[in-house]
Amino acid sequence: MSGHVTIRLASERVNHCVASSNELPRFYTPGEVISGMQDFMRGHGTYVEDDCIKSSVAGVMQKVNKLICVRPLKSRYVGEIGDVVVGRVLEVQQKRWKVETNSRLDSILQLSSVNLPGGELRRRSAEDEQMMRKHLQEGDLISAEVQSVFSDGSLSLHTRSLKYGKLSQGVLMKVFPSLIKRRKNHFHNLPCGIAIIIGNNGFIWMSPQQQNIVIEENKDEIENYELQPISKSDREIMARLKNCIAALVASKMMLDDSSIMFAYEESLRYDDVKELLDPEVMLDIAFLTQHRLNSIMEE
């Protein structure tokens, strides 16, 4: 079986850099002097040595008034209260689930922080504890919100709203958390017919848009809906979206619903979804997306 293989020399690799403005951001390496101590205050990603503020991580400097921070390009997710996250259940423990959320420590989802079947409001009993695996088991994907942050930095999650909970059929994609743009809403129904959850922790979930089903009355209908196979057209759209996000990530562009949708629209000029994995095509999509974002900002 023969296939088309492209092998590139290092000198011929595509530079994916797409500048959002005319000036490229200044990149600092660990130990590099940023400024004198008398002029500024030090923030995250910096330390003081010899009366100078130096970078402790490799990243881009951010300045707010007199506060200097260095934002690392690659880092683990550092959660904040109210963040929307997508995670995978690792372990079922006593009255809680342990969840992987791309942070330094595993997150915790308490039994008291989830909706009971039918939305019933009451104290959790020993019977509820025994039924925990029927609700969520190892390997399940969930969407949740950060309820609180423990002293050691681990996160406490909750899924009390109907928009959170177990994720059934779709595609999970992992990107750098630093590329996720913080917004009020991280749940989006895109015009192409796909629902997307852009988790603050760098996990992005894509699935076909669900019909509105009444939870209390039609439990069997929900289970049947979750088990239905996804159509070929929806799978192609999700594959195209995934490749578009990969193109934006390769160029270190911030991700939100606007940038993803612009990239998807620009990718439609390429008929074959596999073409979007070509480095030149990825750069072309990222460049055209950045051009559209710049034109909106100028307006």
Side-chain angles (χ1 to χ4, degrees), residues 116-135:
L116 291 171
E120 197 177 348
L121 296 173
R122 59 173 172 78
R123 290 190 68 176
R124 279 30 170 194
S125 63
E127 194 177 323
D128 293 321
E129 195 176 337
Q130 290 166 3
M131 300 286 283
M132 280 176 66
R133 268 182 210 281
K134 288 200 173 180
H135 191 67

Side-chain angles (χ1 to χ4, degrees), residues 79-260:
E80 294 180 17
I81 295 172
D83 280 359
V84 173
V85 297
V86 175
R88 188 181 294 277
V89 176
L90 294 176
E91 194 179 335
V92 182
Q93 298 180 333
Q94 187 176 7
K95 292 189 178 179
R96 64 181 190 173
W97 291 270
K98 198 181 274 188
V99 184
E100 154 64 12
T101 53
N102 200 24
S103 52
R104 292 191 302 275
L105 298 167
D106 293 330
S107 303
I108 299 299
L109 176 63
Q110 300 278 1
L111 177 60
S112 58
S113 301
V114 302
N115 275 334
L116 291 171
E120 197 177 348
L121 296 173
R122 59 173 172 78
R123 290 190 68 176
R124 279 30 170 194
S125 63
E127 194 177 323
D128 293 321
E129 195 176 337
Q130 290 166 3
M131 300 286 283
M132 280 176 66
R133 268 182 210 281
K134 288 200 173 180
H135 191 67
L136 289 171
Q137 60 183 357
E138 290 89 343
D140 284 350
L141 285 165
I142 62 165
S143 61
E145 185 178 312
V146 177
Q147 182 174 342
S148 60
V149 182
F150 295 114
S151 56
D152 61 355
S154 61
L155 308 176
S156 175
L157 311 176
H158 82 86
T159 61
R160 289 200 195 94
S161 172
L162 291 177
K163 63 182 177 180
Y164 303 125
K166 185 177 174 181
L167 302 171
S168 54
Q169 299 219 52
V171 175
L172 178 70
M173 188 174 185
K174 299 179 183 180
V175 301
F176 302 130
S178 57
L179 295 178
I180 303 293
K181 192 176 283 188
R182 289 186 182 274
R183 290 291 177 91
K184 284 185 178 178
N185 183 26
H186 285 261
F187 291 78
H188 304 283
N189 286 326
L190 301 181
C192 57
I194 298 299
I196 188 167
I197 305 172
I198 306 172
N200 286 108
N201 60 332
F203 287 6
I204 299 175
W205 175 258
M206 290 170 278
S207 62
Q209 290 180 15
Q210 291 189 2
Q211 301 161 352
N212 293 323
I213 302 171
V214 181
I215 291 175
E216 289 81 0
E217 296 176 5
N218 302 322
K219 292 177 186 174
D220 295 333
E221 201 173 317
I222 294 172
E223 288 177 11
N224 292 337
Y225 186 81
E226 288 178 352
L227 293 172
Q228 283 178 4
I230 299 174
S231 65
K232 185 182 177 184
S233 59
D234 282 343
R235 291 203 303 271
E236 282 185 1
I237 294 171
M238 286 193 287
R240 185 176 287 272
L241 277 170
K242 186 176 184 291
N243 291 349
C244 289
I245 294 170
L248 299 180
V249 169
S251 295
K252 302 292 186 290
M253 289 178 61
M254 298 297 284
L255 300 173
D256 62 355
D257 58 317
S258 302
S259 62
I260 292 170

